[in-house]
Amino acid sequence: MIPSYRKRRDRVLAFLTGPQSGNQAYRLTRLWIIRGLGFIYFNAYAIVYFQGPALWGDEGLLPIGTFINQVKNHFGENWFWELPSLFYFVTPDRMIPVFGVIGMIGGLVLMAGFANFPILFILWSLQLSFNNSGQLFYSYGWETQLTEFTFLAFFLVPFWNPRLASSDAPVPRVAIWAMRWMLFRLMFGAGMIKIRGDECWHDFTCMIYHYETQPNPHPLSYFYHSMPEFLHRAAVLVNHIVELIVPFGLFGPARLRRIAGLITIGFQLILISSGNLAWLNWLTILMCIPCFDDEFLSRAGGVFKKIKMPNFRFGSSGASSWIIEDLRFVALVSFSALMIYLSINPALNLVRPNQIMNTSYSQWHLVNSYGAFGSIGKIRYEVVIKGTKDENPGPNTEWVEYKFKCAPSGDVSRRPCLITPYHYHLDWQIWFSAMRPQLQEEWLFRLVVRLLENHPLITALFAETPFDADAPKFIKMDLYRYRFADWENWPDQWWQREFVREYMPPVSLETPLAQYFKLDRN
């Protein structure tokens, strides 16, 4: 009975793990993936460290402590399982920068080539906690992408030995398959949401507008925008090919898979060169690494030395080996079954006419739906925040503008920022606010109150504030239309703008609404 079970177990393990030599070996692939994952984590948690207290601290725009109390009151005894987060067990205001440091250190450890299950589990727990507690500022696809991809990486690394370069632990090909399936959902989902989302993807005109109207353009965006119209139309065609056709190559033989991976990487590099899209495209490049086996990577540029890989065999002698094989068998079979089950909704979402994008189907964010830029804005609007020390604002009041670090505002001669893969949450979110007819977001009300208080945490989120020691008496917001400047005015002028309307009337700390958000911290 036992020998028969072991034979069946070894056959299943051999299928799920695959060969550990030749063009189906992935030990060098694993090393590249982990180092790339470390780069992403270091960047993501540098953002948490430097911006987190202002965004989610007790004095921030969307305090996590307040949110956690609301979750507990709403879900009762089942609060943790409904929305798992480490912030239930710590003081958020104190631990946000600590978590930022832990995330950055973890990223450096991974970049050094060290990883095991405990290290990845700590990083995954941090990311899951921010996914479930970061609210509006964590509502974008790249955050859940990182959570899901880290979970898949659990099955690439040894449980305990962190030295990946010298580890002979097998790399299960089922985990590599799962990563390719995730990349397929990301790319094909993005292509399908475009086809269904905006007519400009059908008439090949979307890119005429995109570079100017995207959330945070950078200097090269101006030149992309200035290309001839036929190149913009060609760019849409290329986009459709890369997102709707190329992803099927991810499931092909080695040569086709490598070509699909290289095309996708090239496409992501073009996107990186055309605008500041946080670390979305950098993470997507990382997700392409499973397309390449050790045989390919060991020859890539002659930079990395080929790692000699042992031909791993199942069914080793010794009681401890049987236990290890049994545990590996249970883990990989359970993982495979879980991936198949959790993939049902995301797979159906790809073919549904009412496809949704950037959606998680559970609070654990394990297998998600993705997609970006289903619709393209044709006009760029910007919310411009202004303040004054005037006690009684009138027609002759001088209003001075707050300047964001990246979002176009204030000085139209200022060159667009270049920050990728770093990300300014405030600048990104204010871009979405400009799409709404009037101020209606809770975090934006809090921003106004904190600026009226001249709170140092909040003013640090801006590149330049017009008030030093004294707080403004009134804050207001105006809506402007922004366009890239004409060639004859460049580079002295990068933008041109025109006033559209008032977005929020002047508000002081004596305004009832401001009083409410001033007191909600108590």
Side-chain angles (χ1 to χ4, degrees), residues 421-441:
Y422 197 74
H423 175 57
Y424 293 123
H425 282 280
L426 178 63
D427 299 55
W428 185 275
Q429 205 58 51
I430 202 74
W431 178 78
F432 283 96
S433 299
M435 299 179 186
R436 297 173 176 87
Q438 60 184 6
L439 185 147
Q440 53 188 264
E441 298 166 288

Side-chain angles (χ1 to χ4, degrees), residues 15 30 45 109 130 195 242 284 298 340 342 352 424 493:
F15 175 74
R30 170 176 62 190
Y45 282 83
V109 170
F130 278 103
I195 291 296
V242 174
T284 306
S298 64
I340 293 172
L342 294 179
R352 285 174 180 151
Y424 293 123
Q493 183 178 337

